[in-house]
Amino acid sequence: MDTIMEVKDLNLWYGDHHALHDINVDIPKNQITALIGPSGCGKSTFLKTLNRMNDLVENVKITGNIIYNNENIYAPKVDVTWLRKRIGMVFQKPNPFPMSIYDNIAYGPRTHGITSKVKLDTIVEKSLKDAAIWDEVKDRLNTSALGMSGGQQQRLCIARALAVEPDILLMDESTSALDPISTGKIEELAVELKKKYTVVMVTHNMQQAVRISDYCAFFLLGDLVEFSKTEEMFSMPKDRRTEDYITGRFG
Amino acid sequence: MKNKTKWQELTEKGINAVFMLCGIVAVGFVLCITVHLVIAGLPAIMKIGLPTFLFGTTWQPTATTTEPSFGILPFILTSIYGTAGAVLIGVPIGLLTAIFLAKAAPPKFAKVIHTAVELLAGIPSVVYGLVGMIILVPGIQRAFDLPSGATLLAAIIVLTIMILPSIINVSETALRAVPREYEEASMALGATEMETFFRVSLPAAKSGIAAAVVLGVGRAIGEAMAIIMVSGNVANLPGLLTSVRFMTTAIASEMAYAAAGSLQQQALFSIGLVLFLFIMMINVFLNVFVKGRRTA
């Protein structure tokens, strides 16, 4: 397996609270990696260290390295906007901008300097197609994104993230606010997306992890307890705590 | 089960009536003012003729050698120019301050600015006028080498400062109400904080900001005391560096010596009516925006 990101000795504190302890993991390229664990275990925090969204939190302190593209993303000279362009993110609740569907998708490319209408049109169409929502919205690109259903909004957010051509797509419990049908669509989409992108997703739903992920990382109380292929983890977990969690003894 | 006593029922009804009465008082005052203003304002307009009154350019209500004339176009234009000027300068400053306060300022520094803005809002307008008289008027006189510094420019500057607090407060509230999720989404796409504020937060808060602007307009157009002291109070057609008279200041300055029952006094009432209509229009505007925000 190819590695796209190497996390080395990553520690994170929120003020005095030591939220992540010595995390070491290689994120495999063009695979879906699921981060699982009970609430408050640090999986979402870990996800947000990958595109430095934790920088926005006050009093956060991070040590260790995350190597991406042969560089530590926490090196002082790194351009965070470039990093976040390469590592897109889809949030827990769909959060389209209060703008038209078109402008939502075009927002990222415009931010990065694309002004040509022809280019933007192409990007918008391609991104919406990649997010499997083009057919549903192609006739109403200029209507407000807030008029869409929750599931559509979330796929729009995925399209918006794809529009800046990322390498990696981070999904932070991106289906937890959606109904089962929309969830199914997004799961299918994630499987489709791994051909071109690397997907790292936080999920509360272990069936979901089993259904679509290739690798799985189990977090507990700020530790990365186990990282292995999903099928291995769910058939023969190496660690007792993993076994207890996935068999439903706690969580 | 225990039933309500007669006494309980009576007090409830009584309290209800008191609330109702208080509500009616407010409505009653508005109605009373409107009716009286129309009754007092109409006769002069009838006598002078609406077009001559609104579009006449000379205001000489007490002329003796010639026919007195009652054209209030200079006042109307001065009020419009003065307000527009204040809004033109005040809105960008106020808006940027609001963005800074809502999104970028370190909490301690924001607190200092907040206190200053609140104080600014609490200063009586006559004090603004006084300070304007002492600092602005002589300053403008020297800077532009004028016979007098009491000009439209001085009034615009005073008005700008006076409308800042409402613009800052209302637009800051609107900006704070923008969901954090929008901003996170923008930054996760690689936008900088500034890009995010200007391209996501501001558009998302636009109806609230529009309300802030309209509120500022209302405050500026209705102000009299501060600008009477710095604008020279001469019924000229407005120019940036000429002494001017606003609708409000015309009423305030002439009412004291207009003979009771004279056409001059009646015409001043009519100016009041015109001003009232202006402010009504602004309020309708504001309501439309506020409603727009609720449905959005």
Side-chain angles (χ1 to χ4, degrees), chain A residues 53 56 81 84-85 87 89 91 95-99 107-108 110-112 146 160-161 164, chain B residues 107 180-193 195-196 199-200 203-204 206:
Chain A
M53 282 301 274
L56 305 176
T81 63
R84 294 195 186 132
K85 180 178 181 300
I87 307 177
M89 183 160 201
F91 293 80
N95 58 353
F97 300 128
M99 309 171 183
Y107 181 87
R110 279 179 180 145
T111 302
H112 298 291
L146 301 182
R160 182 175 65 186
V164 293
Chain B
R180 183 75 190 141
E181 286 83 16
Y182 293 166
E183 285 152 11
E184 280 181 350
S186 166
M187 283 191 264
L189 286 167
T192 62
E193 286 200 311
E195 282 168 337
T196 301
R199 294 185 48 213
V200 174
K206 64 174 183 272

Side-chain angles (χ1 to χ4, degrees), chain B residues 9 31 74 113 123 136 158-159 169 179-180 189 218 227 239 246 252 264 280-281 293:
Chain B
E9 209 162 299
L31 279 180
I113 298 182
I123 293 173
L136 266 182
V158 169
L159 284 177
N169 285 332
R180 183 75 190 141
L189 286 167
I227 49 180
F246 291 74
Q264 183 189 8
M280 275 300 175
M281 284 191 315
R293 179 170 42 177

Side-chain angles (χ1 to χ4, degrees), chain A residues 28-61:
Chain A
K29 194 174 177 186
N30 289 99
Q31 303 284 326
I32 299 179
T33 303
L35 313 178
I36 61 169
S39 299
C41 66
K43 56 192 189 302
S44 277
T45 298
F46 174 70
L47 188 79
K48 285 180 190 155
T49 58
L50 300 180
N51 67 343
R52 293 188 58 174
M53 282 301 274
N54 276 325
D55 291 16
L56 305 176
V57 181
E58 268 178 58
N59 286 325
V60 75
K61 194 185 127 200

